[in-house]
Amino acid sequence: MKIIMRNESNPEKEIAILLTVHNRKDKTLSCLRALKVQKLPEHCKIDVFMTDDGCTDGTPEAVASEFPDVNIIKGDGNLFWNRGMYAAWTEAEKNDFDYYLWLNDDTFLLDMCINNLLRESALYNDNAIIIGATINSAGDRITYSGWRNNKIIDSLTNNREANCFNGNIVLIPQNVFAQLGKNDPYFRHALGDFDYGLRATELGIKNIVCPDICGICDEHATIPKWM
């Protein structure tokens, strides 16, 4: 998927969208549709890198049909979330993007999400990780966000600096990537996102929650069997 807004007098900002999927075809397609209608700032281009971790429900075929520009990386069904994200990032980094955006396929971006993330990143000279908080479908509770002192940051008007974060919506500028690299494939499914935030904190890189709600994602009632 490519969304391009060009102005030759200004350099483009190129963003790699990273996600990994397994047998959630309807949610994956809804996620990509929400991404497609983003109200991007000028001079902004996005490319999507999606790891198909052994889908058997027709997800990659449906994505290729509706979104032919998506770069699909094949997994064998044993990568799970963290290693699937690592595989997508490994492919994306070959193109030296200005930003990398982690996105869960059960998370639906609000239309100004990327615009707001980039605006917040600019306030930190693209030297901080910017986290997008999500709310539930009812719109009455923050579900995923940054974390500080073992508590989720559920107020976007007070201190928004986190120690670590959920990986649902996370913008990582090239400046940060140059220092931290990719997520650690030591972790199979979970904890890779928390580890990345903690590594950033140890290096003095700030993890900042965007002051605007960025997406919708309901909490998981139970952990799916494949996880």
Side-chain angles (χ1 to χ4, degrees), residues 120 124 128-133 144-156 158-166 169-170 193-194 196-210:
E120 189 70 8
Y124 293 87
I129 295 171
I130 309 300
I131 306 141
Y144 298 98
S145 180
W147 288 71
R148 184 177 60 248
N149 301 328
N150 297 320
K151 293 182 179 179
I152 193 168
I153 296 174
D154 57 6
S155 171
L156 305 187
N158 300 317
N159 181 7
R160 293 180 284 105
E161 186 169 345
N163 305 120
C164 55
F165 46 78
N166 299 119
I169 305 172
V170 182
D193 48 0
F194 273 56
Y196 200 82
L198 291 171
R199 285 163 51 198
T201 299
E202 286 184 353
L203 287 179
I205 298 169
K206 293 182 182 296
N207 303 308
I208 304 295
V209 180
C210 183

Side-chain angles (χ1 to χ4, degrees), residues 41-56:
E42 288 188 323
H43 330 304
C44 186
K45 169 186 174 181
I46 67 175
D47 286 344
V48 180
F49 294 81
M50 184 190 84
T51 299
D52 159 27
D53 191 27
C55 291
T56 58

Side-chain angles (χ1 to χ4, degrees), residues 74-196:
K74 289 293 184 182
D76 60 5
N78 293 303
L79 293 176
F80 298 88
W81 183 82
N82 187 64
R83 291 178 183 172
M85 294 295 283
Y86 181 87
W89 207 342
T90 297
E91 185 63 27
E93 70 173 318
K94 298 175 183 177
N95 296 278
D96 196 28
F97 285 89
D98 298 298
Y99 304 89
Y100 299 93
L101 177 63
W102 296 2
L103 177 61
N104 275 14
D105 73 331
D106 63 348
T107 300
F108 313 115
L109 301 183
L110 300 181
D111 60 6
M112 291 294 290
C113 170
I114 293 177
N115 201 315
N116 291 335
L117 293 171
L118 290 172
R119 182 207 63 220
E120 189 70 8
S121 184
L123 296 178
Y124 293 87
N125 297 312
D126 291 333
N127 285 307
I129 295 171
I130 309 300
I131 306 141
T134 65
I135 55 174
N136 60 357
S137 298
D140 59 7
R141 185 176 71 258
I142 287 180
T143 50
Y144 298 98
S145 180
W147 288 71
R148 184 177 60 248
N149 301 328
N150 297 320
K151 293 182 179 179
I152 193 168
I153 296 174
D154 57 6
S155 171
L156 305 187
T157 58
N158 300 317
N159 181 7
R160 293 180 284 105
E161 186 169 345
N163 305 120
C164 55
F165 46 78
N166 299 119
N168 296 64
I169 305 172
V170 182
L171 183 72
I172 300 163
Q174 174 62 230
N175 293 341
V176 172
F177 174 63
Q179 298 178 70
L180 277 179
K182 299 189 290 293
N183 54 316
D184 190 341
Y186 171 83
F187 300 100
R188 187 182 187 190
H189 173 63
L191 300 180
D193 48 0
F194 273 56
D195 173 73
Y196 200 82

